[in-house]
Structure formats: C-alpha cells, structure tokens
Amino acid sequence: TLSAKAGKLFCKCCKDELSLIKGSVRTHVQSKAHAANMQKYHERTASNGEAKAFIEEHFLANPNESGGTVSIDNKLYRYRMVECFLKNGVPLEKIDGMRTMLEYAGKHTLTDSHNLKSFIPKIEAQARAATCTRRHRRAILEHLLRRHHSSR
C-alpha cells in the first residue's frame, strides 16, 4: 500500500505522505491506525472490484447507453458518487452546483445530474444482488448451525 511518486513516499491506506526515514516508515506501518486503515482499504478495493465487474457487465450488455464510452474508473467514480448522494439523502441535482469541485477532487469527470440518474437502477440492482447473497449466506450458516446442534 506504499507508493513512491516524485521522490515522495505515500501510504494509500492512510492517505498520508510519509517521511523517507526508515524508522518512521516502520513505525507508521506497525501502527494500529495503519492496520485499521489497511483493512478498510482492502474492503473498499474488493467492493470496488465487484462494482466494476457489475458496471462492465451492464455496459457490455447495453453498449449504446449514455456514458458507455468513458473509462471503467470514471464509470465507477460516477456510480460511487450517485450511490453516496442517494445513501445520504442528497438530491442528485446538487451535483450540478458542485460538479467542478467534485471533478477536481476526484480527478474524474462527471456528467449532469440528469445523466447520472441512469446509475440509480444499477445501484438498486447491485444492492438487491448483495442482499440476496447475504440472505443466502445467512441461510447456509443457519442450516449448518442447526445441523451442528442436532448432531450433539
């Protein structure tokens, strides 16, 4: 999770620039905060991988849909932006007023809120799929626990 760029050392998990002193790097990497951030980073990375696969599959099946020609990283940024606004109850129209800053901060381009609304059904479908998977896992676990208790 460490990367070097332009002579500087950066921790991707913690989003911090690190000192180039070996002891400082070792202290940072061994810290509890870094360990917690690293776990969140890996969870986020896995979640992004699932979302990317879902988005790619959708646009392969719907090649003429608006936004299909932008990079997968840009599609993921748009997907996550819409998801964030929806989860926090913020109207998507607010993106239009903040678009310049959101593009600057995210280093990806957005489109207007009207076009971003096309991500809502995709987010809903992904959420339904995740819910079904969680229910399936829970049912399997409950079945195994019942079997375990009945065999005693």
Side-chain angles (χ1 to χ4, degrees):
T1 60
L2 299 179
S3 65
K5 191 173 187 178
K8 295 182 179 183
L9 189 61
F10 191 76
C11 176
K12 291 180 185 178
C13 300
C14 300
K15 300 177 184 167
D16 285 335
E17 185 179 325
L18 303 178
S19 166
L20 296 175
I21 299 169
K22 185 178 179 180
S24 296
V25 173
R26 184 180 300 124
T27 301
H28 173 79
V29 171
Q30 293 173 347
S31 71
K32 289 180 182 178
H34 176 74
N37 288 335
M38 194 158 113
Q39 182 177 354
K40 289 177 192 172
Y41 176 81
H42 289 299
E43 289 169 1
R44 194 171 49 246
T45 302
S47 174
N48 282 344
E50 292 170 10
K52 274 186 180 181
F54 177 78
I55 293 166
E56 280 183 319
E57 186 178 301
H58 174 81
F59 280 100
L60 284 173
N62 303 282
N64 296 327
E65 186 173 325
S66 176
T69 58
V70 299
S71 74
I72 186 61
D73 288 333
N74 206 340
K75 287 177 193 150
L76 178 65
Y77 181 70
R78 292 174 180 185
Y79 178 95
R80 291 294 190 211
M81 187 64 62
V82 172
E83 183 180 50
C84 178
F85 272 62
L86 292 175
K87 282 182 178 178
N88 290 288
V90 180
L92 288 182
E93 290 75 16
K94 298 280 186 183
I95 288 177
D96 296 332
M98 297 185 283
R99 185 172 169 184
T100 303
M101 190 59 187
L102 292 171
E103 288 178 336
Y104 174 77
K107 296 183 172 84
H108 291 286
T109 60
L110 289 169
T111 184
D112 64 40
S113 60
H114 176 75
N115 288 327
L116 288 172
K117 286 180 182 178
S118 69
F119 279 97
I120 293 173
K122 297 169 193 60
I123 292 166
E124 290 171 341
Q126 181 72 3
R128 278 193 304 277
T131 300
C132 290
T133 302
R134 282 193 299 274
R135 282 187 193 143
H136 182 70
R137 286 185 194 140
R138 189 178 314 123
I140 290 170
L141 181 61
E142 288 171 358
H143 173 73
L144 291 172
L145 287 172
R146 279 194 303 271
R147 220 166 94 194
H148 174 71
H149 290 296
S150 66
S151 66
R152 285 184 172 183

